Amino acid sequence: MIRIENISKSNSHRILFIEASAALNRGEKIGLVGPNGAGKTTLFRMITGQEIPDEGQVTVEKHVTIGYFSQDVGEMSGRSAVTEVMDGAGPVSEVAAELRELETAMVDPDRMDEMDQIIERYGEVQARYEKLDGYGLEGRAREVLAGLSFTQEMMDGDVGKLSGGWKMRVALARILLMRPDVMLLDEPSNHLDLESLIWLESFLKGYDGALLMTSHDREFMNRIVTKIIEIDAGSLTTYSGDYAFYEQQRAQNEKQQQAQFERQQAMLAKEIKFIERFKARASHAAQVQSRVKKLDKIERIEPPKRRQAVAFEFQPAPRSGEDVVNLKNVHKRYGSRSIYEGLDFMVRRKERWCIMGINGAGKSTLLKLVAGSAEPDEGNVTVGASVKMGYFAQHAMDVLDGDLTVFEWLEAEFPRAGQGALRTLAGCFGFSGDDVEKKCRVLSGGEKARLVMAAMLFDPPNFLVLDEPTNHLDLDTKEMLIKALSDYEGTMLFVSHDRHFLAELSNRVLELTPEGIHRYDGGYTEYVERTGYEAPGLRS
């Protein structure tokens, strides 16, 4: 359906692709992977014709429809969310628009003399609309929006009043409702809660078109894709299998390539040593010449490209008392809405609680109460002896000084730390080379989040309170964070929609449901085994 043939592409002095080739065939579900800045979004834009390669070509079969979801959702306002979604449904939405025009024309007294033609055309358009199941369109649009966690009130309200994250869900719903021949999805798992993520997973598994997507959620990718296309150093390499298979295969390929490289280097060294030793002897002239010619003809094996492996090690955190935080008979309301009534909850040293609950259940509110950024209406929140808390929330980015560069801000935070240590820290969280010279005000939301987290973990607290810490992290940085937190000796209380993060780091689960609060010993994996569902909103 889509062929990428020998493309080369540069972006402002940076080479993204060099004679790269790949294909997307009918019905395939492919994950597109590569480090930040490798060219994933550029590849999507070349497929949709928004950019063209410098050399080579991208060809799309005739009459193939493409739906492209990107993080840049554009302006939305003045219409309901459901209308906005229906408007993007491809041919059926165009037929619906003509149907509305004809209905207006039929009651226009100035067009009475055209009425026969209008009625005849209306019959034709109506038949086409029925064939495209236009009358079921609104129902399907509402079904998709409900799957992405919209309430009926949000579906019918002005889309302009929604936050950026919810507008992204509207943009995603448009593509899903359209059901094109090919879906290009750039980070569709961002900004979704766990219930929406699992619903989307199920939707995409049942989608019979071709899919090319990026995602920083390895579990999501593993369950959907059956092929991986990797962008690395300008090349496109295709692997058959899911993301886990790709990781194993890539590691195995690198190991084999390293072994071949070392064998060849040993052979070359031996040949060169012979040539050097006998080149001055006339009796060996023929042998020397033969070996020189042989060496000239050998195709050199390159060593595997060394990936920049990010690793971060915690300084040991000071030990806290056994009782880290205690919530006693806590009540919390927002207006007429009651979030907690008489909540009792204790966190003890070395426990790692993940908080589960649907949107609005009070997950972030609980973290705010523990961190002291919200007060209970009744009851007490008591932080234990010698507890040094680190709280990561979305508004944590407000602490950044926009006039300072990344490196200057880190120096101001840690005036006694050496430059080398701070540069290593910045590199671990995705700020390498010239990135450390960027002013904080020009950083993206994701970069700001990474910088705040880097500072928090450099001088480690013994109690981490984390609200969606992985939202803006790419796969490699996320793996680094999981590994670092696995070795962390302190206590954790966190909210995350990333199942890999939940499974690797939790040893307790607190589930918030309308019927009450449930506690589970054991981590997220045990919680899924015991309850039979992956998120509270999926309870049967």
Side-chain angles (χ1 to χ4, degrees), residues 166-201:
W166 285 99
K167 281 180 181 170
M168 280 199 175
R169 296 190 196 206
V170 171
L172 177 58
R174 282 172 69 117
I175 306 297
L176 301 181
L177 183 67
M178 179 184 173
R179 290 188 88 100
D181 299 319
V182 177
M183 275 194 213
L184 307 177
L185 303 182
D186 195 358
E187 291 298 337
S189 51
N190 269 6
H191 304 285
L192 295 185
D193 54 84
L194 193 45
E195 282 80 4
S196 300
L197 197 64
I198 291 165
W199 177 87
L200 178 59
E201 203 172 83

mmCIF file of all heavy atoms in Angstrom, residues 166-201:
data_model
loop_
_atom_site.group_PDB
_atom_site.id
_atom_site.type_symbol
_atom_site.label_atom_id
_atom_site.label_comp_id
_atom_site.label_asym_id
_atom_site.label_seq_id
_atom_site.Cartn_x
_atom_site.Cartn_y
_atom_site.Cartn_z
ATOM 1 N N TRP A 166 -7.510 16.723 26.405
ATOM 2 C CA TRP A 166 -8.825 16.240 25.947
ATOM 3 C C TRP A 166 -9.048 16.581 24.476
ATOM 4 O O TRP A 166 -9.685 15.816 23.744
ATOM 5 C CB TRP A 166 -9.933 16.815 26.822
ATOM 6 C CG TRP A 166 -9.995 16.149 28.167
ATOM 7 C CD1 TRP A 166 -9.462 16.615 29.338
ATOM 8 C CD2 TRP A 166 -10.560 14.866 28.470
ATOM 9 N NE1 TRP A 166 -9.667 15.701 30.342
ATOM 10 C CE2 TRP A 166 -10.342 14.625 29.853
ATOM 11 C CE3 TRP A 166 -11.230 13.904 27.721
ATOM 12 C CZ2 TRP A 166 -10.780 13.464 30.491
ATOM 13 C CZ3 TRP A 166 -11.671 12.741 28.354
ATOM 14 C CH2 TRP A 166 -11.445 12.534 29.718
ATOM 15 N N LYS A 167 -8.515 17.715 24.019
ATOM 16 C CA LYS A 167 -8.630 18.050 22.587
ATOM 17 C C LYS A 167 -7.875 17.012 21.749
ATOM 18 O O LYS A 167 -8.288 16.664 20.651
ATOM 19 C CB LYS A 167 -8.070 19.452 22.314
ATOM 20 C CG LYS A 167 -9.039 20.558 22.706
ATOM 21 C CD LYS A 167 -8.446 21.925 22.413
ATOM 22 C CE LYS A 167 -9.415 23.010 22.844
ATOM 23 N NZ LYS A 167 -8.796 24.340 22.795
ATOM 24 N N MET A 168 -6.754 16.532 22.296
ATOM 25 C CA MET A 168 -6.003 15.484 21.588
ATOM 26 C C MET A 168 -6.849 14.225 21.441
ATOM 27 O O MET A 168 -6.806 13.549 20.423
ATOM 28 C CB MET A 168 -4.715 15.155 22.337
ATOM 29 C CG MET A 168 -3.627 16.154 22.078
ATOM 30 S SD MET A 168 -2.025 15.470 22.485
ATOM 31 C CE MET A 168 -0.993 16.820 21.939
ATOM 32 N N ARG A 169 -7.631 13.915 22.468
ATOM 33 C CA ARG A 169 -8.508 12.746 22.385
ATOM 34 C C ARG A 169 -9.585 12.954 21.307
ATOM 35 O O ARG A 169 -9.961 12.006 20.624
ATOM 36 C CB ARG A 169 -9.176 12.483 23.742
ATOM 37 C CG ARG A 169 -8.201 12.112 24.844
ATOM 38 C CD ARG A 169 -8.943 11.630 26.074
ATOM 39 N NE ARG A 169 -8.076 11.630 27.248
ATOM 40 C CZ ARG A 169 -8.244 10.852 28.298
ATOM 41 N NH1 ARG A 169 -9.251 10.001 28.337
ATOM 42 N NH2 ARG A 169 -7.428 10.915 29.332
ATOM 43 N N VAL A 170 -10.077 14.193 21.183
ATOM 44 C CA VAL A 170 -11.068 14.490 20.127
ATOM 45 C C VAL A 170 -10.429 14.248 18.756
ATOM 46 O O VAL A 170 -11.026 13.620 17.877
ATOM 47 C CB VAL A 170 -11.589 15.942 20.248
ATOM 48 C CG1 VAL A 170 -12.440 16.315 19.034
ATOM 49 C CG2 VAL A 170 -12.408 16.113 21.533
ATOM 50 N N ALA A 171 -9.191 14.764 18.587
ATOM 51 C CA ALA A 171 -8.483 14.584 17.305
ATOM 52 C C ALA A 171 -8.254 13.104 17.009
ATOM 53 O O ALA A 171 -8.384 12.652 15.862
ATOM 54 C CB ALA A 171 -7.146 15.337 17.343
ATOM 55 N N LEU A 172 -7.927 12.334 18.046
ATOM 56 C CA LEU A 172 -7.724 10.892 17.877
ATOM 57 C C LEU A 172 -9.045 10.209 17.510
ATOM 58 O O LEU A 172 -9.090 9.357 16.619
ATOM 59 C CB LEU A 172 -7.153 10.302 19.172
ATOM 60 C CG LEU A 172 -6.925 8.791 19.221
ATOM 61 C CD1 LEU A 172 -5.972 8.344 18.112
ATOM 62 C CD2 LEU A 172 -6.374 8.376 20.592
ATOM 63 N N ALA A 173 -10.138 10.624 18.170
ATOM 64 C CA ALA A 173 -11.457 10.036 17.892
ATOM 65 C C ALA A 173 -11.875 10.257 16.439
ATOM 66 O O ALA A 173 -12.492 9.388 15.817
ATOM 67 C CB ALA A 173 -12.502 10.629 18.836
ATOM 68 N N ARG A 174 -11.526 11.415 15.879
ATOM 69 C CA ARG A 174 -11.844 11.705 14.462
ATOM 70 C C ARG A 174 -11.233 10.649 13.542
ATOM 71 O O ARG A 174 -11.882 10.143 12.626
ATOM 72 C CB ARG A 174 -11.284 13.084 14.063
ATOM 73 C CG ARG A 174 -12.078 14.266 14.534
ATOM 74 C CD ARG A 174 -11.324 15.556 14.237
ATOM 75 N NE ARG A 174 -11.259 15.824 12.815
ATOM 76 C CZ ARG A 174 -11.807 16.881 12.225
ATOM 77 N NH1 ARG A 174 -12.478 17.756 12.933
ATOM 78 N NH2 ARG A 174 -11.695 17.067 10.938
ATOM 79 N N ILE A 175 -9.966 10.315 13.809
ATOM 80 C CA ILE A 175 -9.258 9.330 12.965
ATOM 81 C C ILE A 175 -9.870 7.942 13.158
ATOM 82 O O ILE A 175 -10.066 7.192 12.199
ATOM 83 C CB ILE A 175 -7.748 9.283 13.312
ATOM 84 C CG1 ILE A 175 -7.110 10.672 13.234
ATOM 85 C CG2 ILE A 175 -7.020 8.294 12.413
ATOM 86 C CD1 ILE A 175 -7.123 11.324 11.888
ATOM 87 N N LEU A 176 -10.179 7.592 14.409
ATOM 88 C CA LEU A 176 -10.730 6.263 14.694
ATOM 89 C C LEU A 176 -12.102 6.086 14.052
ATOM 90 O O LEU A 176 -12.421 5.020 13.523
ATOM 91 C CB LEU A 176 -10.824 6.032 16.203
ATOM 92 C CG LEU A 176 -9.511 6.129 17.002
ATOM 93 C CD1 LEU A 176 -9.766 5.840 18.475
ATOM 94 C CD2 LEU A 176 -8.450 5.182 16.456
ATOM 95 N N LEU A 177 -12.919 7.150 14.091
ATOM 96 C CA LEU A 177 -14.255 7.080 13.493
ATOM 97 C C LEU A 177 -14.158 6.983 11.964
ATOM 98 O O LEU A 177 -14.951 6.299 11.315
ATOM 99 C CB LEU A 177 -15.084 8.306 13.886
ATOM 100 C CG LEU A 177 -16.534 8.311 13.388
ATOM 101 C CD1 LEU A 177 -17.347 7.213 14.058
ATOM 102 C CD2 LEU A 177 -17.193 9.662 13.644
ATOM 103 N N MET A 178 -13.158 7.645 11.421
ATOM 104 C CA MET A 178 -12.959 7.665 9.964
ATOM 105 C C MET A 178 -12.660 6.256 9.425
ATOM 106 O O MET A 178 -13.036 5.907 8.321
ATOM 107 C CB MET A 178 -11.790 8.611 9.654
ATOM 108 C CG MET A 178 -11.413 8.758 8.214
ATOM 109 S SD MET A 178 -9.936 9.817 8.122
ATOM 110 C CE MET A 178 -9.535 9.674 6.389
ATOM 111 N N ARG A 179 -11.974 5.432 10.264
ATOM 112 C CA ARG A 179 -11.540 4.091 9.847
ATOM 113 C C ARG A 179 -10.946 4.103 8.431
ATOM 114 O O ARG A 179 -11.459 3.441 7.520
ATOM 115 C CB ARG A 179 -12.690 3.088 9.931
ATOM 116 C CG ARG A 179 -13.087 2.769 11.359
ATOM 117 C CD ARG A 179 -14.082 1.638 11.441
ATOM 118 N NE ARG A 179 -13.405 0.360 11.517
ATOM 119 C CZ ARG A 179 -13.209 -0.332 12.640
ATOM 120 N NH1 ARG A 179 -13.635 0.138 13.782
ATOM 121 N NH2 ARG A 179 -12.604 -1.491 12.615
ATOM 122 N N PRO A 180 -9.862 4.848 8.215
ATOM 123 C CA PRO A 180 -9.246 4.908 6.882
ATOM 124 C C PRO A 180 -8.571 3.581 6.532
ATOM 125 O O PRO A 180 -8.487 2.675 7.367
ATOM 126 C CB PRO A 180 -8.210 6.022 7.044
ATOM 127 C CG PRO A 180 -7.825 5.941 8.491
ATOM 128 C CD PRO A 180 -9.073 5.538 9.235
ATOM 129 N N ASP A 181 -8.058 3.486 5.297
ATOM 130 C CA ASP A 181 -7.322 2.272 4.902
ATOM 131 C C ASP A 181 -6.018 2.164 5.681
ATOM 132 O O ASP A 181 -5.543 1.071 5.976
ATOM 133 C CB ASP A 181 -6.997 2.309 3.398
ATOM 134 C CG ASP A 181 -8.258 2.368 2.553
ATOM 135 O OD1 ASP A 181 -9.226 1.666 2.899
ATOM 136 O OD2 ASP A 181 -8.292 3.143 1.569
ATOM 137 N N VAL A 182 -5.421 3.343 5.972
ATOM 138 C CA VAL A 182 -4.148 3.388 6.708
ATOM 139 C C VAL A 182 -4.262 4.413 7.829
ATOM 140 O O VAL A 182 -4.697 5.533 7.603
ATOM 141 C CB VAL A 182 -2.975 3.805 5.782
ATOM 142 C CG1 VAL A 182 -1.676 3.918 6.574
ATOM 143 C CG2 VAL A 182 -2.808 2.832 4.629
ATOM 144 N N MET A 183 -3.871 4.010 9.031
ATOM 145 C CA MET A 183 -3.788 4.956 10.149
ATOM 146 C C MET A 183 -2.330 5.216 10.470
ATOM 147 O O MET A 183 -1.548 4.272 10.645
ATOM 148 C CB MET A 183 -4.462 4.390 11.398
ATOM 149 C CG MET A 183 -5.942 4.619 11.485
ATOM 150 S SD MET A 183 -6.489 4.262 13.177
ATOM 151 C CE MET A 183 -8.123 3.633 12.820
ATOM 152 N N LEU A 184 -1.971 6.492 10.552
ATOM 153 C CA LEU A 184 -0.654 6.897 11.037
ATOM 154 C C LEU A 184 -0.885 7.558 12.391
ATOM 155 O O LEU A 184 -1.524 8.617 12.466
ATOM 156 C CB LEU A 184 0.009 7.892 10.080
ATOM 157 C CG LEU A 184 0.122 7.488 8.604
ATOM 158 C CD1 LEU A 184 0.741 8.621 7.797
ATOM 159 C CD2 LEU A 184 0.946 6.213 8.443
ATOM 160 N N LEU A 185 -0.421 6.946 13.456
ATOM 161 C CA LEU A 185 -0.687 7.462 14.805
ATOM 162 C C LEU A 185 0.637 7.810 15.490
ATOM 163 O O LEU A 185 1.450 6.930 15.766
ATOM 164 C CB LEU A 185 -1.455 6.427 15.632
ATOM 165 C CG LEU A 185 -2.796 5.934 15.074
ATOM 166 C CD1 LEU A 185 -3.450 4.949 16.040
ATOM 167 C CD2 LEU A 185 -3.742 7.095 14.773
ATOM 168 N N ASP A 186 0.836 9.096 15.734
ATOM 169 C CA ASP A 186 2.058 9.583 16.378
ATOM 170 C C ASP A 186 1.767 9.782 17.866
ATOM 171 O O ASP A 186 1.097 10.731 18.248
ATOM 172 C CB ASP A 186 2.483 10.907 15.721
ATOM 173 C CG ASP A 186 3.917 11.286 16.065
ATOM 174 O OD1 ASP A 186 4.553 10.547 16.828
ATOM 175 O OD2 ASP A 186 4.390 12.343 15.586
ATOM 176 N N GLU A 187 2.227 8.866 18.680
ATOM 177 C CA GLU A 187 2.026 8.894 20.132
ATOM 178 C C GLU A 187 0.545 8.933 20.544
ATOM 179 O O GLU A 187 0.117 9.829 21.281
ATOM 180 C CB GLU A 187 2.759 10.100 20.758
ATOM 181 C CG GLU A 187 4.256 10.000 20.712
ATOM 182 C CD GLU A 187 4.804 8.815 21.495
ATOM 183 O OE1 GLU A 187 4.140 8.318 22.394
ATOM 184 O OE2 GLU A 187 5.910 8.378 21.162
ATOM 185 N N PRO A 188 -0.282 8.006 20.085
ATOM 186 C CA PRO A 188 -1.697 8.039 20.471
ATOM 187 C C PRO A 188 -1.909 7.720 21.945
ATOM 188 O O PRO A 188 -2.957 8.038 22.501
ATOM 189 C CB PRO A 188 -2.327 6.944 19.596
ATOM 190 C CG PRO A 188 -1.212 5.972 19.369
ATOM 191 C CD PRO A 188 0.027 6.823 19.250
ATOM 192 N N SER A 189 -0.909 7.098 22.602
ATOM 193 C CA SER A 189 -1.087 6.690 24.001
ATOM 194 C C SER A 189 -0.797 7.816 24.986
ATOM 195 O O SER A 189 -1.056 7.681 26.183
ATOM 196 C CB SER A 189 -0.194 5.478 24.308
ATOM 197 O OG SER A 189 1.132 5.709 23.901
ATOM 198 N N ASN A 190 -0.268 8.961 24.500
ATOM 199 C CA ASN A 190 -0.040 10.107 25.386
ATOM 200 C C ASN A 190 -1.366 10.649 25.886
ATOM 201 O O ASN A 190 -2.359 10.664 25.159
ATOM 202 C CB ASN A 190 0.679 11.237 24.628
ATOM 203 C CG ASN A 190 2.182 11.129 24.757
ATOM 204 O OD1 ASN A 190 2.694 10.158 25.306
ATOM 205 N ND2 ASN A 190 2.903 12.118 24.262
ATOM 206 N N HIS A 191 -1.381 11.161 27.093
ATOM 207 C CA HIS A 191 -2.557 11.853 27.672
ATOM 208 C C HIS A 191 -3.765 10.947 27.892
ATOM 209 O O HIS A 191 -4.857 11.441 28.139
ATOM 210 C CB HIS A 191 -2.983 13.054 26.808
ATOM 211 C CG HIS A 191 -1.894 14.047 26.589
ATOM 212 N ND1 HIS A 191 -1.482 14.924 27.566
ATOM 213 C CD2 HIS A 191 -1.090 14.290 25.527
ATOM 214 C CE1 HIS A 191 -0.483 15.671 27.102
ATOM 215 N NE2 HIS A 191 -0.231 15.302 25.877
ATOM 216 N N LEU A 192 -3.603 9.640 27.763
ATOM 217 C CA LEU A 192 -4.749 8.748 28.000
ATOM 218 C C LEU A 192 -4.631 8.124 29.389
ATOM 219 O O LEU A 192 -3.535 7.774 29.830
ATOM 220 C CB LEU A 192 -4.794 7.619 26.961
ATOM 221 C CG LEU A 192 -5.051 8.010 25.507
ATOM 222 C CD1 LEU A 192 -5.174 6.744 24.654
ATOM 223 C CD2 LEU A 192 -6.297 8.865 25.349
ATOM 224 N N ASP A 193 -5.783 7.976 30.070
ATOM 225 C CA ASP A 193 -5.786 7.221 31.314
ATOM 226 C C ASP A 193 -5.759 5.732 30.965
ATOM 227 O O ASP A 193 -5.902 5.348 29.796
ATOM 228 C CB ASP A 193 -7.021 7.571 32.146
ATOM 229 C CG ASP A 193 -8.297 7.378 31.352
ATOM 230 O OD1 ASP A 193 -8.791 6.249 31.301
ATOM 231 O OD2 ASP A 193 -8.787 8.365 30.755
ATOM 232 N N LEU A 194 -5.593 4.901 31.979
ATOM 233 C CA LEU A 194 -5.404 3.464 31.733
ATOM 234 C C LEU A 194 -6.613 2.828 31.057
ATOM 235 O O LEU A 194 -6.474 2.015 30.137
ATOM 236 C CB LEU A 194 -5.089 2.763 33.063
ATOM 237 C CG LEU A 194 -4.568 1.335 33.010
ATOM 238 C CD1 LEU A 194 -3.482 1.157 31.969
ATOM 239 C CD2 LEU A 194 -4.065 0.906 34.380
ATOM 240 N N GLU A 195 -7.826 3.217 31.488
ATOM 241 C CA GLU A 195 -9.036 2.647 30.880
ATOM 242 C C GLU A 195 -9.111 2.975 29.385
ATOM 243 O O GLU A 195 -9.407 2.111 28.556
ATOM 244 C CB GLU A 195 -10.298 3.179 31.585
ATOM 245 C CG GLU A 195 -10.601 2.524 32.918
ATOM 246 C CD GLU A 195 -9.775 3.084 34.069
ATOM 247 O OE1 GLU A 195 -8.997 4.047 33.872
ATOM 248 O OE2 GLU A 195 -9.895 2.553 35.173
ATOM 249 N N SER A 196 -8.832 4.246 29.031
ATOM 250 C CA SER A 196 -8.868 4.662 27.621
ATOM 251 C C SER A 196 -7.805 3.942 26.809
ATOM 252 O O SER A 196 -8.016 3.563 25.660
ATOM 253 C CB SER A 196 -8.624 6.175 27.496
ATOM 254 O OG SER A 196 -9.599 6.892 28.189
ATOM 255 N N LEU A 197 -6.642 3.772 27.430
ATOM 256 C CA LEU A 197 -5.520 3.109 26.765
ATOM 257 C C LEU A 197 -5.896 1.660 26.410
ATOM 258 O O LEU A 197 -5.642 1.194 25.299
ATOM 259 C CB LEU A 197 -4.327 3.126 27.721
ATOM 260 C CG LEU A 197 -2.951 2.864 27.154
ATOM 261 C CD1 LEU A 197 -2.557 3.946 26.165
ATOM 262 C CD2 LEU A 197 -1.927 2.799 28.271
ATOM 263 N N ILE A 198 -6.523 0.979 27.357
ATOM 264 C CA ILE A 198 -6.897 -0.421 27.131
ATOM 265 C C ILE A 198 -8.024 -0.512 26.100
ATOM 266 O O ILE A 198 -8.040 -1.410 25.254
ATOM 267 C CB ILE A 198 -7.276 -1.085 28.479
ATOM 268 C CG1 ILE A 198 -6.010 -1.217 29.336
ATOM 269 C CG2 ILE A 198 -7.919 -2.446 28.269
ATOM 270 C CD1 ILE A 198 -6.255 -1.512 30.802
ATOM 271 N N TRP A 199 -8.945 0.464 26.136
ATOM 272 C CA TRP A 199 -10.007 0.498 25.117
ATOM 273 C C TRP A 199 -9.402 0.712 23.728
ATOM 274 O O TRP A 199 -9.765 0.027 22.758
ATOM 275 C CB TRP A 199 -11.014 1.624 25.422
ATOM 276 C CG TRP A 199 -12.062 1.733 24.357
ATOM 277 C CD1 TRP A 199 -13.232 1.044 24.284
ATOM 278 C CD2 TRP A 199 -12.006 2.536 23.166
ATOM 279 N NE1 TRP A 199 -13.910 1.365 23.128
ATOM 280 C CE2 TRP A 199 -13.179 2.281 22.421
ATOM 281 C CE3 TRP A 199 -11.078 3.448 22.658
ATOM 282 C CZ2 TRP A 199 -13.451 2.906 21.210
ATOM 283 C CZ3 TRP A 199 -11.347 4.061 21.443
ATOM 284 C CH2 TRP A 199 -12.527 3.786 20.725
ATOM 285 N N LEU A 200 -8.449 1.656 23.618
ATOM 286 C CA LEU A 200 -7.807 1.949 22.326
ATOM 287 C C LEU A 200 -7.053 0.719 21.818
ATOM 288 O O LEU A 200 -7.087 0.399 20.622
ATOM 289 C CB LEU A 200 -6.864 3.143 22.470
ATOM 290 C CG LEU A 200 -6.081 3.547 21.222
ATOM 291 C CD1 LEU A 200 -7.013 3.907 20.065
ATOM 292 C CD2 LEU A 200 -5.135 4.712 21.515
ATOM 293 N N GLU A 201 -6.400 0.045 22.728
ATOM 294 C CA GLU A 201 -5.683 -1.195 22.383
ATOM 295 C C GLU A 201 -6.627 -2.201 21.720
ATOM 296 O O GLU A 201 -6.326 -2.775 20.671
ATOM 297 C CB GLU A 201 -5.187 -1.768 23.712
ATOM 298 C CG GLU A 201 -4.030 -2.680 23.662
ATOM 299 C CD GLU A 201 -3.583 -2.966 25.088
ATOM 300 O OE1 GLU A 201 -4.183 -3.854 25.716
ATOM 301 O OE2 GLU A 201 -2.672 -2.280 25.576
#
